[in-house]
Amino acid sequence: MAHRPQRLPVYREAANQIIERIKRGDLQPGDHAPSARQLVETTGMSSATAARVLGVLRDEGWVDTIPGRGSIVRTQAPLTQGANRIGMVRQGGSGLLDGETVEFVEARTESAAQEVSDALGIDVGADVVLRRRRYVDSAGVSVVSTTWVTADLAERLPAFTEPEKLPKMTMGYIEDQTGRKATQQRETHSVGAAPEDVAPQLGVEAGERVLKVTNRYLDQDGEPTEYAVDWHAPGRSLVAEGPVA
């Protein structure tokens, strides 16, 4: 017997319809989303179901409910990770979203902290070179990203410390300069305290708890090529959709 896909619950179908209106631009940031009362009047659903519709929209970051104003369509501020940017580059893109820019912050040599030494397989205190930049979109600064490479590798990457944007990001630049192609990555998500040297660039107070995403890349021989830490600004949404395995 052929499997018949189950119909979505009424509240989910209604929420999806509103989300599609937002994606199409029929509802713009700052517009009012349908209220619970309007949903009841136009669809005949119960007030409890209408409340669940608005709950979905809030939970998934599509609207903010403001006392006295109702549910307002939120300006979408997506969170873009290093792995996403690498995929964009490998498909011939720039690694940036539409309307997004990248700003060089600094490059310097420093002594490897424990976290960096573990990731790059070197001794604590060994020289490493970092490159820091921040990504900015229509909603403001989204990410402050720092990449570390060993001092030996940095000698083969003259543009790594220059303020100009690397044409294929660090990963592509390393591959072009050395033939070392990133083939594996380990990505870790956690909530951490924004460091003092990152917080001003991110627009938060030092120590404020924000999303921290780390990426460790290995080449075709299983050797580390780079270690990156992305600190994400508050108010961003990371949404992943797909079939359940």
Side-chain angles (χ1 to χ4, degrees):
M1 180 180 296
H3 174 71
R4 294 183 179 179
Q6 291 185 333
R7 183 182 178 90
L8 291 173
V10 171
Y11 76 89
R12 182 73 250 191
E13 284 192 344
N16 286 351
Q17 290 171 6
I18 297 171
I19 290 169
E20 284 304 312
R21 292 176 63 191
I22 295 172
K23 289 181 176 179
R24 289 196 309 265
D26 298 340
L27 289 172
Q28 295 286 326
D31 288 348
H32 284 82
S35 66
R37 181 175 180 179
Q38 288 171 328
L39 289 171
V40 170
E41 292 176 349
T42 58
T43 69
M45 66 177 61
S46 68
S47 57
T49 301
R52 294 191 71 180
V53 173
L54 297 178
V56 168
L57 297 178
R58 286 192 300 271
D59 182 61
E60 297 186 4
W62 295 101
V63 304
D64 291 313
T65 298
I66 302 174
R69 292 190 60 196
S71 295
I72 308 299
V73 177
R74 177 188 294 180
T75 299
Q76 294 304 301
L79 180 157
T80 304
Q81 303 172 80
N84 300 126
R85 297 187 189 280
I86 288 171
M88 293 160 67
V89 169
R90 284 188 164 165
Q91 293 173 17
S94 67
L96 299 174
L97 299 173
D98 290 342
E100 186 179 40
T101 59
V102 59
E103 300 175 352
F104 177 84
V105 176
E106 64 174 326
R108 67 171 189 264
T109 300
E110 67 177 17
S111 298
Q114 185 73 61
E115 178 180 348
V116 176
S117 69
D118 288 345
L120 294 179
I122 58 177
D123 292 335
V124 173
D127 282 348
V128 289
V129 180
L130 71 82
R131 177 183 176 88
R132 178 168 293 150
R133 54 268 181 228
R134 66 178 190 171
Y135 294 86
V136 182
D137 58 22
S138 60
V141 177
S142 61
V143 181
V144 174
S145 182
T146 307
T147 302
W148 288 265
V149 298
T150 64
D152 289 342
L153 180 56
E155 290 181 357
R156 303 172 65 184
L157 307 172
F160 185 73
T161 55
E162 298 299 319
E164 289 76 19
K165 178 182 179 294
L166 299 177
K168 296 182 182 179
M169 303 183 64
T170 309
M171 179 208 67
Y173 182 50
I174 291 174
E175 183 175 345
D176 287 347
Q177 292 292 111
T178 69
R180 297 178 63 185
K181 181 177 182 178
T183 59
Q184 289 183 290
Q185 74 171 117
R186 180 179 183 182
E187 182 176 283
T188 303
H189 296 233
S190 60
V191 174
E196 290 186 359
D197 59 344
V198 169
Q201 298 295 331
L202 198 58
V204 301
E205 295 292 329
E208 183 171 338
R209 307 289 287 180
V210 294
L211 177 64
K212 175 185 180 183
V213 179
T214 69
N215 269 294
R216 178 177 184 257
Y217 297 100
L218 305 179
D219 65 14
Q220 62 268 37
D221 297 319
E223 295 296 323
T225 55
E226 60 175 296
Y227 179 61
V229 176
D230 290 350
W231 294 93
H232 292 272
R236 299 281 163 160
S237 298
L238 173 60
V239 179
E241 295 184 359
V244 177

